[in-house]
Structures are given as C-alpha cells and as structure tokens.
Amino acid sequence: MMRFHHMGVFVADIDEALRLWVDVLGFTLTHRAFIPDGRKDQPGTRMPAETLDDIFGVEGARSEMALLTSADGAMIELQCPLVPKIERTPPENLRYGHTGIHELGFQVEDIDGWFERIRAAGYQTQTDYVWPWAVTGKSFLFYDQDGNLIQFCEQKGMPSWRP
C-alpha cells in the first residue's frame, strides 16, 4: 500500500509563506518549531541534530519548519533552512525547462472565486484567466512568494484521462 503523505515546500521567509498557506488558502498551522530539537541520545527528541546534519549535508544544520493541514487532510511541510542559508531558486529554473517537482496541484470547488482570491492577495497568476482543463474542468496556476508553481483545478464530470 502507498498513499500520499505530504509535500515539502522550501521557502525563504516562513512568515510570508504562512500568510499564503493559512490566511489565503485556509490551511491550519498544526506545528511550528526549530529543528534539530536535540540529539539521538536525548529522550523526546523528534529530529536529532546528527540526522538533520546528514539530511542537509552540512554540520550544524538548522531549520524552522511548520506543518499545515487542510480541512480535507492534505498536509504541507514548510521548511526555511537557516544553516545552510536558503537561497531563492532563480525564476528561470522553476519553470518547465528543468527537472524537479515544480508544480503542486489542488482540486478545488468555485475555481473562479479562488482565482479572484489569489489575485486579490497579490499573487502572480501564470495567465490572466481561468482556462479549460481536461475536457470537463477549469484550471489556473499561480506563483507563491518564492516562485513555486501551484495549480488549482476544478473538475465537473469524468476527467478526460479516465476510461
């Protein structure tokens, strides 16, 4: 068995990221902390320093993280590394011409309302309109404060890729 657990989004400013995810998108902040929070031999340690050093590939790794959940159970992990200091990816490397996960998609209802809400909050949309998607749906894409691409899709009826 395998099911989706969460998506990690690395950000340069965690407070600005929370403005999008909590205030605009309606996620609930369930946990916020600095990691690491101890060492392997300390009881109650959730993220040992040794492990974070191995994951980040540097000695003395440190990050601020936040876990968020939607009403439907989607979970987002925001990470704002302090050591090593995070660098914003150049916009040209966040588009479709480079490898990596560059698009996070959500199924929504009232896509036109979401489009207006995203634009009113000051986020750049990839197009100035909501476009037809998968024969029976509509969609739009927008960029968060770090240039990460997020897609909203509204599906009415059977998607075109299903038999």
Side-chain angles (χ1 to χ4, degrees):
M1 176 186 91
M2 183 186 303
R3 67 183 179 96
F4 182 78
H5 186 266
H6 75 279
M7 171 62 94
V9 180
F10 281 65
V11 299
D13 182 328
I14 203 160
D15 291 318
E16 182 63 25
L18 287 169
R19 184 177 83 78
L20 169 64
W21 289 97
V22 174
D23 299 344
V24 178
L25 302 182
F27 277 69
T28 299
L29 175 63
T30 58
H31 183 75
R32 185 173 179 177
F34 286 94
I35 54 174
D37 63 349
R39 303 206 62 82
K40 287 181 183 177
D41 59 355
Q42 294 175 318
T45 296
R46 294 181 187 181
M47 175 55 71
E50 302 91 339
T51 302
L52 193 63
D53 286 357
D54 288 343
I55 292 169
F56 280 18
V58 299
E59 192 171 323
R62 185 160 169 74
S63 186
E64 185 173 8
M65 58 90 60
L67 295 177
L68 307 138
T69 56
S70 73
D72 292 331
M75 188 165 70
I76 298 294
E77 172 189 342
L78 298 177
Q79 283 284 345
C80 183
L82 306 168
V83 177
K85 179 144 179 51
I86 196 161
E87 295 180 35
R88 279 200 167 102
T89 301
E92 62 274 10
N93 292 351
L94 289 169
R95 304 308 184 257
Y96 294 107
H98 295 85
T99 61
I101 298 171
H102 295 290
E103 183 180 298
L104 175 58
F106 290 98
Q107 178 77 29
V108 299
E109 294 179 10
D110 184 24
I111 197 159
D112 296 310
W114 276 109
F115 184 79
E116 293 306 317
R117 185 176 184 174
I118 295 301
R119 289 182 65 114
Y123 293 95
Q124 177 191 358
T125 54
Q126 194 180 47
T127 59
D128 291 334
Y129 54 90
V130 174
W131 33 272
W133 175 75
V135 180
T136 59
K138 297 192 301 185
S139 185
F140 73 92
L141 295 130
F142 71 97
Y143 302 95
D144 73 2
Q145 69 287 342
D146 289 305
N148 297 308
L149 194 57
I150 300 170
Q151 181 174 20
F152 278 8
C153 310
E154 181 179 66
Q155 189 70 50
K156 305 279 188 192
M158 188 63 68
S160 61
W161 60 84
R162 299 235 173 143

